[in-house]
Amino acid sequence: NKPNSNIDEHDRNKLLSILKFGKKAIGRADLEKFLQGHKTTRAGALKAKCYDCMCGYADGIKDCGVSSCPMYPFHPYRGSSR
């Protein structure tokens, strides 16, 4: 899973950091693939962004509590009310 040479320096550094230090959690693989330039699904993009924003999720299955996030209504673990 080495980064390819076609990605920009910021994404390359972020990817290298995730590969070296990132927690294994929901969204990590989606973020790695995105940073490598691969296409993603909507669900994959949501998981990747949540992983990125929450520094790898605390556990990946709890509500992040960031209700000001535009993607918060779509987070799968945000609780039962919409």
Side-chain angles (χ1 to χ4, degrees), residues 33-82:
K33 288 177 187 174
F34 174 76
L35 292 173
Q36 291 173 346
H38 299 285
K39 289 186 178 184
T40 186
T41 63
R42 286 182 186 153
L46 176 64
K47 291 176 195 173
K49 183 58 186 169
C50 289
Y51 180 91
D52 185 35
C53 177
M54 298 300 293
C55 301
Y57 282 86
D59 64 7
I61 59 169
K62 290 191 178 175
D63 183 344
C64 66
V66 183
S67 60
S68 61
C69 175
M71 294 189 300
Y72 184 74
F74 307 102
H75 189 283
Y77 304 109
R78 70 170 199 82
S80 59
S81 63
R82 282 209 167 183

Side-chain angles (χ1 to χ4, degrees), residues 6-25:
N6 297 330
I7 61 176
D8 69 31
E9 190 66 23
H10 177 265
D11 287 350
R12 182 178 176 77
N13 289 336
K14 183 180 253 186
L15 180 58
L16 289 171
S17 178
I18 291 168
L19 292 173
K20 188 171 183 179
F21 304 111
K23 292 180 182 181
K24 296 212 184 271

